[in-house]
Every structure is written in structure tokens, then in C-alpha cells.
């Protein structure tokens, strides 16, 4: 065990920190899940890409730095420590890209990765359907074989930032004779043009972040199939474990939240009851636990061990920790907690920016136990695949 | 950055795990209950043969010169087995403390014997209501009025108490400091530092034992959920049971890295400024995880878990006692707060 960072890792951290200090926007970009905010975030994503920070762990040919997993974690710590904007490209960079690296052709990687990382082509995920949420394998969208490609039909929903994105990816039934996990294929498809209608849905937090996608014989060429036809479920599983796991939620984000909570406590401690002080400390310890848990997981990955279903464990922890941390912040803020951020006035100053950010963060945190596979599904996975309890 | 134990450390764990599985099954823990002795002498002798009792003394003192990282997994296995003997107090805390500050005569009298497995050591920090294992220890190291005393068993005024864990012999010790027993640390600052490290070791080592107890209780509950059938299928096929056990595993696995990180910080305490806060974070999570899993395991077992006949309570009661020992959750959380929150 060696819990110090190497000289190379320390130098990498210093380089990240120095660049972020100079370039992170001083003014908030607002929510990345509104049309205007999304556009502002994309400008930031381009600046990140052009300086080589958009996807640090990727190969250089696709715009990365070939950073190690530990360096990637360091980048994330510095990124959130610097208060940099949330990544609106994450559903491409952190969810689709790992699948392309594992299953994509050279042509697909060459065509898709750089524009994805630069935010020139933005990606939403198209997993859920109106009647296929937790039970994803019951999905009904289909793809019918035609000359040179496929015609996609059906309805997808909860497509994050789908109202603004250019492209999406998801599973479609290509073999109607096969049931459930079998006979599905992984497609990439456009969100504009003939055969596709996109309808934004206002989320609980007020942003038009979600979209419903209506596909009616949308043509997709063969080159936009990832992996083999009828093997989509197995291809997709690679992505979902990334989504639950550390690629979606590195510890840096929660360490930054815990650190902001400590600052908030500093401002409100005169009115804070002792139990709240305890909750603030517990939030700090939880963030530390998640950080070291992740270093342990990454060490196992570096050693070539299969971390498998443990990504479910990690998803339940971070999502519930995030809710607790925000609940503690709101309890500190007390009866001022109802202050919200005014979307129509991004320059809104004063209390609302900070206190409102906690309410907004709380609303977003509440989505954590739901998205990327509900925590109930994750607990089933933990019980069956880690603890070995019977399925039936 | 590398967060993993070495091959040698894992090998030692496997050796100790095998030894305890053979030598310290629940029946042996139960006999320590029945005798109220807090001892499993034959197990302790085997651990001594394997070198465990000599791990933390320096090679100059006839020990193996190993550190907290070497010891962490051994302590966890002792917790898993429910070993009644004072591994924490003798090996993790007492032996290195006595080696650091004992007089030549004190070291000569007890260190070789401790390393050989022939002498147990008890420790009593200021403010601690009971000194566990004092009745069976050859020497008790007592911190009183800012000084440290190494008091031989025969001179120790003991008032035995009954622990909820009958395999833990605890006692009130109303000791009037006696200069003959005083250790020799040089100056007060050196003694304070040595006692401070000893307390951190005690809290951390107890966290390791709690991790092992937690894993044992969870293993028992998972096995029971697989075996016990109701409504024509194993109860572990029910989501309500699955979710209880999944949550228990999460609590356990998120405590583990903090305990291991604290081991590293203690082993490198010369260069790690916040090792005390790291130990406290470990104790908070290990104690909370153990208490949580103790409740969950009982609930999953149902009425059979609420009997003396079933083994679960052996581990559960140890967990309750240790969760509060060497600083309870409130104490350690406050210590983390002092290190992280604004004044």
C-alpha cells in the first residue's frame, strides 16, 4: 500500500489546478439543462477540449492525454474543487465512449470520439421506454432490416438533455422471435430529421432536461450499429456499469460538495443545533470513505481484477450520500431554503445564488437514487450477484 | 497511489484465517463465555507459534518489527472468529507502548513473555470506566494523572464487572498511582505523544476487529437467508431481505477503506499530519457499520437469532461493546469535526 501520489501524479495535479484556476468561468453558466445554459456549457466544453482536458484518459489521437485512472481521478478532484461547470457532454464521454472503446470499429472511433469530446456532436441516452424502465429488457422499440441499414420505430423516454442533443444511443429489438435480453441491437441514431420527433419534458427542478423521443421508421445506416446484431444487451451492460460506477460519479464531485457544506456550516453555525454539526461531520466522513473506496477499486482495476457488480454498491452509496449531504445543507439554511435560482435572470446575485444552489442541488440529488438503475434494482443486483442470494 | 495489501500481508491473513477457523470455532468462544475467563488459551498459543504475538515488537526486542498494515488483516480475522483474547490490547497497543516507554526492568519482565504468548497486556486510558482483560493480563498499562504506570497483575486493585459479552472480563480499577510502577519516557511531551499514539492504535485496531465482526454477522445472515425456507422458497429470495442485506454490505464495504487508510496513516505517522482524524473516521464508520449489521443480521434471522443457542449473539454483543470502546462514535466524530470544521 502506498497512499502517496507519485511525482508524476503531483505534477499532473499541479498542471490541472493551474489551468483550471486561469480558465474556469468566474460567473455561473446557469443550469446546463436549459437550452441557453446548454449552449453556454458547450462553449466551455470546447475550451476544455482544445486544451486537452475534455477526456484526459483517452488516447491522444482522439484528443485525450492518455492519463492513468488515478490521474483521471486527480483531474476530477481538481475540476470540482475549482467549481468548474457540470459536464453536459458526460452521456457521450462517460457512457457511450467506454462502449465504443470496447466494441466500436476503428471507423466509428475515428468518426465519433473527437466531435463528441469537443461538444460538436452531443449525445443523449435512449434506454428507457414508457413501459420499460427498471425492466429494461421488456423494451418494445424495434429496428427493421432494409437495404444498407435499419428502420427504427418506437418510443424512448427520459433522454437526458435530449431536447438539445444531436444524437442518442439505445437498444432496439432486431429479432422479434427472441425474448427479453436476446435479439436486441445497440444503435446510435440522430435526434433531428425525418422519422424522429423530440419533445422536451420539464423536470422536477424546472429544467427542460428530459426528452421523449418518437421514432417512426427512422433510417440508421449499418455503420451506426455498435457490436454485433442481436448482441446489444451485452454491449449495453458495459455502459451501464460505467454509468453506475466511478466514471459517472468520481469522488471529486462529492468532496467538493462536502467542502461547500463545511463552508456553509461556518456561516450558519450560530443557529445550528448540535445534531446538525454531527451531520456535517458525517457528510465529510462519507465523502472521504467514497474517495478511499474508489482508490481501492481503481487499484483493483489497475491489477486487472474484475470489479463486476461492485459498481452497484458504489452507486447506491454515492446517490444516498448526495441526498443526505444536501438535506443537511437545507437544514442549516432553515427557513430560507425555499429561495430558488431564477432561470430568467442568470445574473441574479446575493443569497439566491448560494442558498438557491443548495435547493437546486437537492432536487438534482433526489434523482440520483432513480437514474442509472434505481437503487432498488441495484440492491437486487448486490444481493444476487455479490451475496449470492437466490433470484427466485 | 496504490490501495492494496501486499502478497505477504494477504498470505499472513490466509494463514491466520485458516488457523482461527480450525482452532477458534464458536464453541471455543462459548467456553470463554462459560468460564468467564476471556481466554482461549490453546488458540493464543497457536497464534504465538505463528508469530502473531511478536508482530509489533522491534527486531531488537525479539519481535518481527511489523507495522499496522501487516496487522490490520490479522485483527480483522480475530474479529471474524470472535477470538476472546486481548489481541488489540496486547499486540496492537500494549507491547509497542511498553517497548517505547517502559523502564529496562519493565521491558525485561514483560516484553519477551508477551512476544512468546506467555503474557497478556491490558490497557486503561484516562476516563475509561473499565479495563478489559485486566484480570487475565500479566500487566496493565494505566494512564493516570498524565503519567503512565505498568502495574503487575498481583498489585492491581480489581473490581470485576459483568460485560454484556460474557467472554470479555472487564473490571473497575481503582488504582492509586505508585511511583514504583511509573514508566520512563524521558520527558512529559514524549510520554504524551506515546500515549496518544497508543490510544489511536487502540481505536484503530478495535475498528479492524469490528470489521471482522461485521463480516461474520453478515455471513451468518446471508447463509441463513439462503437456507431458511418460508412460503416455499428461501427467505433470501424476497426483496425485503435482499435489500436489508445489500444495505448491510454497503455499510461494511464503505467502512473498510477508511480502516485501511488509517492503518497506513499510523504506519506512516511521522509524515501523516492528520493520522488521528483518519483513525477517528475509521472508528466512526466501523462502529456504525457493526451496529447496523448487528441489527440487520438479527432481523434477518428472526426469532432464532434472538436466542443464546444461536451463535449470532456472540458476535453481536462483542460488536456492541467494541463500538463504544476506545472512544465511541460521538467522541470520534467530534475529533473529526475539530480537524475539519471551522472553530
Amino acid at each position: 500500500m502506498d497512499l502517496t501520489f507519485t511525482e508524476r501524479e503531483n505534477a499532473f495535479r499541479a498542471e490541472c489546478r493551474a489551468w483550471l484556476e486561469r480558465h474556469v468561468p468566474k460567473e455561473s453558466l446557469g443550469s446546463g439543462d436549459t437550452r441557453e445554459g446548454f449552449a453556454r456549457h458547450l462553449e466551455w466544453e470546447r475550451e476544455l477540449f482544445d486544451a486537452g482536458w475534455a477526456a484526459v484518459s483517452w488516447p491522444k489521437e482522439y484528443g485525450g492525454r492518455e492519463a492513468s485512472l488515478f490521474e483521471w481521478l486527480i483531474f476530477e478532484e481538481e475540476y470540482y474543487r475549482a467549481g468548474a461547470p457540470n459536464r453536459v457532454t458526460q452521456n457521450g464521454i462517460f457512457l457511450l465512449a467506454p462502449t465504443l472503446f470496447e466494441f466500436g470499429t476503428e471507423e466509428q472511433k475515428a468518426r465519433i470520439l473527437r466531435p463528441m469530446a469537443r461538444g460538436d456532436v452531443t449525445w443523449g441516452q435512449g434506454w428507457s421506454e414508457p413501459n420499460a424502465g427498471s425492466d429494461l429488457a421488456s423494451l418494445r422499440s424495434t429496428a427493421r432490416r432494409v437495404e444498407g441499414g435499419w428502420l427504427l420505430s418506437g418510443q424512448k423516454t427520459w433522454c437526458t438533455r435530449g431536447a438539445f442533443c444531436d444524437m442518442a444511443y439505445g437498444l432496439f429489438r432486431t429479432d422479434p422471435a427472441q425474448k427479453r435480453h436476446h435479439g436486441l441491437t445497440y444503435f446510435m441514431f440522430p435526434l433531428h430529421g425525418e422519422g424522429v420527433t423530440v419533445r422536451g419534458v420539464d423536470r422536477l427542478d424546472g429544467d427542460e432536461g428530459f426528452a421523449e423521443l418518437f421514432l417512426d421508421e427512422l433510417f440508421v445506416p449499418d455503420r451506426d450499429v455498435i457490436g454485433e446484431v442481436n448482441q446489444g444487451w451485452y454491449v449495453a451492460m458495459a455502459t451501464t456499469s460505467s454509468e453506475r460506477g466511478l466514471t459517472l460519479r468520481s469522488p471529486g464531485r462529492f468532496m467538493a460538495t462536502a467542502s461547500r457544506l463545511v463552508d456553509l456550516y461556518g456561516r450558519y453555525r450560530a443557529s445550528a443545533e448540535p445534531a446538525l454539526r454531527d451531520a456535517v461531520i458525517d457528510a465529510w466522513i462519507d465523502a472521504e470513505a467514497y474517495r478511499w473506496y474508489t482508490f481501492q477499486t481503481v487499484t483493483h482495476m489497475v491489477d486487472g481484477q474484475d470489479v463486476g457488480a461492485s459498481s452497484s454498491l458504489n452507486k447506491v452509496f454515492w446517490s444516498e450520500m448526495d441526498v443526505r449531504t444536501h438535506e443537511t445543507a437545507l437544514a442549516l439554511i432553515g427557513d430560507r431554503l425555499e429561495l430558488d435560482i431564477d432561470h430568467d435572470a442568470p445574473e441574479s446575485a446575493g443569497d439566491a445564488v448560494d442558498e438557491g444552489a443548495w435547493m437546486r442541488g437537492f432536487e438534482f440529488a433526489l434523482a440520483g437514487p432513480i437514474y442509472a438503475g434505481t437503487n432498488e434494482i441495484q440492491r437486487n443486483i448486490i444481493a444476487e450477484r455479490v451475496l449470492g442470494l437466490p433470484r427466485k | 497511489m496504490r490501495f492494496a495489501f501486499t502478497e505477504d500481508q494477504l498470505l499472513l491473513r490466509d494463514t491466520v484465517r485458516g488457523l482461527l477457523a480450525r482452532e477458534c470455532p464458536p464453541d471455543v468462544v462459548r467456553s470463554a463465555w462459560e468460564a468467564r475467563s476471556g481466554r482461549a488459551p490453546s488458540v493464543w498459543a497457536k497464534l504465538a507459534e505463528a508469530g502473531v504475538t511478536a508482530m509489533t515488537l522491534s527486531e531488537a526486542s525479539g519481535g518481527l518489527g511489523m507495522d499496522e498494515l501487516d496487522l490490520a488483516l490479522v485483527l480483522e480475522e480475530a474479529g471474524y472468529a470472535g477470538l476472546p483474547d486481548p489481541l488489540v490490547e496486547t499486540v496492537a497497543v500494549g507491547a509497542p507502548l511498553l517497548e517505547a516507554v517502559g523502564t529496562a526492568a519493565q521491558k525485561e519482565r514483560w516484553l519477551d513473555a508477551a512476544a512468546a504468548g506467555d503474557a497478556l497486556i491490558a490497557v486503561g486510558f484516562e476516563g475509561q470506566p473499565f479495563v478489559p482483560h485486566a484480570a487475565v493480563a500479566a500487566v496493565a498499562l494505566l494512564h493516570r494523572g498524565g503519567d503512565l504506570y505498568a502495574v503487575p497483575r498481583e498489585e492491581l486493585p480489581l473490581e470485576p464487572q459483568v460485560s454484556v459479552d460474557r467472554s470479555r472480563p472487564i473490571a473497575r480499577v481503582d488504582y492509586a498511582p505508585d511511583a514504583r510502577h511509573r514508566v520512563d519516557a524521558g520527558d512529559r511531551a514524549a510520554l504524551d505523544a506515546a500515549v496518544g499514539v497508543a490510544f489511536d492504535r487502540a481505536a484503530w485496531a478495535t475498528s479492524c476487529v469490528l470489521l471482522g465482526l461485521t463480516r461474520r454477522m453478515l455471513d451468518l445472515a446471508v447463509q441463513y437467508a439462503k437456507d431458511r425456507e418460508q412460503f416455499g422458497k428461501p427467505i433470501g429470495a424476497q426483496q425485503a431481505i435482499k435489500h436489508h442485506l445489500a444495505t448491510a454490505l454497503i455499510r461494511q464495504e464503505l467502512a473498510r477503506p477508511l480502516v485501511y487508510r488509517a492503518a497506513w496513516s499510523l504506519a506512516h505517522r511521522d509524515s501523516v499530519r492528520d493520522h488521528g482524524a483518519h483513525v477517528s473516521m475509521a472508528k466512526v464508520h466501523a462502529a456504525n457499520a457493526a451496529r447496523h449489521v448487528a441489527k440487520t443480521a438479527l432481523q434477518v434471522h428472526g426469532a432464532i437469532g434472538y436466542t443464546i443457542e444461536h451463535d449470532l449473539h456472540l458476535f453481536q454483543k462483542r460488536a456492541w461493546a467494541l463500538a463504544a470502546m476506545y472512544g465511541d462514535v460521538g467522541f470520534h466524530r467530534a475529533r473529526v469535526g475539530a480537524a475539519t470544521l471551522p472553530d
Side-chain angles (χ1 to χ4, degrees):
Chain A
M1 200 170 288
D2 180 3
L3 305 189
T4 59
F5 291 102
T6 64
E7 268 181 45
R8 187 191 136 127
E9 287 162 344
N10 283 327
F12 181 81
R13 185 187 292 280
E15 193 187 351
C16 296
R17 187 172 294 190
W19 189 88
L20 289 163
E21 270 171 12
R22 281 199 308 279
H23 292 88
V24 168
K26 299 285 176 269
E27 299 293 310
S28 161
L29 302 183
S31 167
D33 293 358
T34 62
R35 192 168 297 276
E36 303 73 25
F38 186 70
R40 283 192 294 272
H41 277 73
L42 285 181
E43 284 171 37
W44 163 247
E45 296 278 353
R46 270 166 213 140
E47 194 177 346
L48 269 182
F49 180 86
D50 291 342
W53 298 110
V56 293
S57 60
W58 287 11
K60 290 201 171 92
E61 58 179 311
Y62 302 122
R65 294 180 174 241
E66 298 179 5
S68 70
L69 275 171
F70 281 117
E71 287 169 337
W72 177 75
L73 290 171
I74 289 167
F75 171 76
E76 291 275 302
E77 289 186 4
E78 292 302 318
Y79 188 86
Y80 288 102
R81 180 182 172 274
N86 284 339
R87 302 293 303 276
V88 296
T89 50
Q90 72 174 15
N91 286 347
I93 292 176
F94 299 132
L95 305 187
L96 176 57
T99 306
L100 284 171
F101 281 120
E102 199 169 338
F103 298 96
T105 63
E106 290 307 312
E107 185 277 326
Q108 286 171 332
K109 287 187 277 185
R111 172 163 54 95
I112 293 165
L113 290 170
R114 288 181 73 95
M116 169 197 289
R118 194 163 183 274
D120 292 339
V121 176
T122 53
W123 293 83
Q125 93 287 20
W127 299 128
S128 293
E129 296 181 4
N131 290 304
S134 289
D135 184 11
L136 184 61
S138 70
L139 63 86
R140 296 177 192 175
S141 295
T142 59
R144 184 162 59 84
R145 194 83 179 99
V146 291
E147 178 69 29
W150 301 79
L151 292 177
L152 272 47
S153 294
Q155 188 181 344
K156 297 284 181 182
T157 191
W158 318 137
C159 179
T160 301
R161 300 182 200 95
F164 332 121
C165 282
D166 304 304
M167 296 286 294
Y169 47 89
L171 294 176
F172 293 79
R173 188 162 298 285
T174 37
D175 183 350
Q178 296 193 56
K179 298 264 186 269
R180 294 192 57 79
H181 314 81
H182 307 289
L184 302 174
T185 299
Y186 194 126
F187 286 95
M188 298 180 281
F189 55 95
L191 292 177
H192 307 292
E194 199 180 333
V196 57
T197 306
V198 176
R199 193 175 76 86
V201 178
D202 290 341
R203 300 190 313 208
L204 176 118
D205 62 7
D207 293 348
E208 190 194 0
F210 287 149
E212 290 181 293
L213 315 177
F214 300 90
L215 309 179
D216 181 14
E217 304 217 315
L218 169 67
F219 178 75
V220 170
D222 283 325
R223 67 177 193 164
D224 285 340
V225 171
I226 305 180
E228 288 183 36
V229 171
N230 292 336
Q231 296 297 313
W233 183 266
Y234 308 98
V235 178
M237 285 304 108
T239 313
T240 54
S241 76
S242 298
E243 185 181 13
R244 285 170 211 147
L246 66 98
T247 55
L248 184 68
R249 292 292 179 261
S250 69
R253 176 190 290 238
F254 304 107
M255 291 164 62
T257 308
S259 183
R260 283 174 50 230
L261 180 67
V262 166
D263 292 342
L264 188 74
Y265 174 78
R267 289 199 279 121
Y268 279 92
R269 67 175 179 269
S271 59
E273 50 176 315
L276 271 180
R277 181 186 164 91
D278 289 353
V280 171
I281 300 165
D282 283 340
W284 180 272
I285 299 174
D286 279 348
E288 284 276 318
Y290 186 58
R291 183 181 193 225
W292 294 98
Y293 178 81
T294 304
F295 286 152
Q296 180 183 268
T297 304
V298 167
T299 301
H300 292 159
M301 289 166 77
V302 168
D303 286 351
Q305 294 177 30
D306 179 18
V307 294
S310 71
S311 66
S312 291
L313 205 144
N314 148 339
K315 194 260 166 170
V316 174
F317 185 78
W318 63 248
S319 58
E320 295 178 358
M321 161 174 71
D322 203 26
V323 173
R324 283 195 300 275
T325 304
H326 283 87
E327 284 173 338
T328 302
L330 294 183
L332 280 170
I333 292 169
D335 54 9
R336 294 155 65 80
L337 68 82
E338 66 181 296
L339 268 177
D340 199 357
I341 294 170
D342 185 351
H343 277 312
D344 301 325
E347 70 281 5
S348 69
D351 289 352
V353 172
D354 194 49
E355 272 84 344
W358 282 106
M359 174 51 84
R360 192 48 70 98
F362 170 64
E363 288 175 331
F364 184 70
L366 286 177
I370 300 171
Y371 62 72
T374 66
N375 285 11
E376 287 71 26
I377 293 291
Q378 305 310 327
R379 283 185 163 90
N380 288 348
I381 293 172
I382 294 164
E384 290 165 13
R385 299 197 203 151
V386 183
L387 296 177
L389 292 172
R391 279 170 173 267
K392 289 177 182 165
Chain B
M1 178 60 59
R2 178 170 176 77
F3 198 111
F5 289 95
T6 63
E7 289 296 320
D8 284 348
Q9 286 160 349
L10 295 174
L11 196 66
L12 177 61
R13 175 200 63 185
D14 292 344
T15 304
V16 172
R17 180 179 289 179
L19 188 160
L20 290 172
R22 283 190 309 275
E23 307 292 335
C24 192
D27 282 352
V28 171
V29 182
R30 280 179 186 277
S31 47
W33 265 63
E34 280 144 25
R36 304 260 178 110
S37 66
R39 295 294 326 265
S42 63
V43 185
W44 194 256
K46 289 279 195 325
L47 287 170
E49 266 174 44
V52 169
T53 48
M55 284 178 72
T56 52
L57 287 174
S58 69
E59 290 173 37
S61 297
L64 300 172
M66 295 167 101
D67 67 17
E68 285 81 357
L69 287 163
D70 300 310
L71 192 57
L73 299 177
V74 172
L75 288 160
E76 193 177 322
E77 292 306 319
Y80 188 88
L83 175 75
D85 302 73
L87 187 63
V88 168
E89 288 76 7
T90 302
V91 177
V93 183
L97 177 59
L98 195 60
E99 183 179 13
V101 300
T103 63
Q106 289 165 340
K107 291 197 246 190
E108 195 187 328
R109 182 167 175 193
W110 289 301
L111 284 188
D112 281 351
D118 297 331
L120 301 178
I121 305 173
V123 290
F125 295 100
E126 203 99 59
Q128 187 179 309
F130 314 114
V131 179
H133 313 286
V136 290
V139 56
L141 303 177
L142 302 178
H143 193 221
R144 296 288 182 269
D147 270 316
L148 187 72
Y149 302 88
V151 189
R153 168 69 193 87
E154 60 276 11
E155 294 183 49
L156 200 61
L158 284 182
E159 195 187 324
Q161 308 288 316
V162 179
S163 169
V164 63
D165 174 0
R166 299 287 193 274
S167 68
R168 267 173 76 76
I170 56 173
R172 244 195 271 281
V173 175
D174 188 15
Y175 172 71
D178 181 334
R180 289 179 304 121
H181 303 141
R182 194 180 290 145
V183 302
D184 178 17
D187 57 30
R188 176 54 68 88
L191 180 68
D192 288 349
V195 172
V197 169
F199 179 78
D200 281 337
R201 282 202 183 108
W204 161 76
T206 300
S207 305
C208 294
V209 173
L210 283 164
L211 268 188
L213 286 162
T214 302
R215 184 159 55 83
R216 182 62 172 266
M217 293 186 286
L218 185 55
D219 278 1
L220 285 170
V222 167
Q223 192 59 50
Y224 187 77
K226 291 176 182 174
D227 294 342
R228 169 73 173 166
E229 293 197 1
Q230 288 288 275
F231 305 104
K233 59 183 177 184
I235 61 169
Q238 306 283 5
Q239 279 198 350
I241 301 289
K242 283 181 181 170
H243 290 191
H244 275 323
L245 293 172
T247 301
L249 181 71
I250 294 166
R251 297 291 292 259
Q252 171 184 293
E253 291 309 311
L254 269 295
R256 184 182 301 287
L258 287 178
V259 176
Y260 296 165
R261 193 266 293 254
W264 192 86
S265 298
L266 279 172
H268 297 83
R269 62 185 178 280
D270 295 339
S271 57
V272 178
R273 195 169 46 90
D274 291 334
H275 65 84
H278 298 172
V279 167
S280 287
M281 290 189 206
K283 185 80 196 317
V284 168
H285 260 223
N288 282 336
R291 294 189 303 190
H292 177 92
V293 175
K295 271 197 294 193
T296 298
L298 175 58
Q299 186 67 23
V300 167
H301 278 84
I304 190 68
Y306 201 78
T307 64
I308 293 293
E309 175 196 342
H310 197 282
D311 292 334
L312 178 62
H313 79 108
L314 300 174
F315 307 102
Q316 193 180 36
K317 289 168 179 168
R318 184 78 56 80
W320 292 335
L322 294 186
M325 195 70 205
Y326 304 124
D328 62 8
V329 168
F331 172 90
H332 284 289
R333 185 193 282 120
R335 223 165 60 137
V336 177
T340 52
L341 295 188
D343 292 328

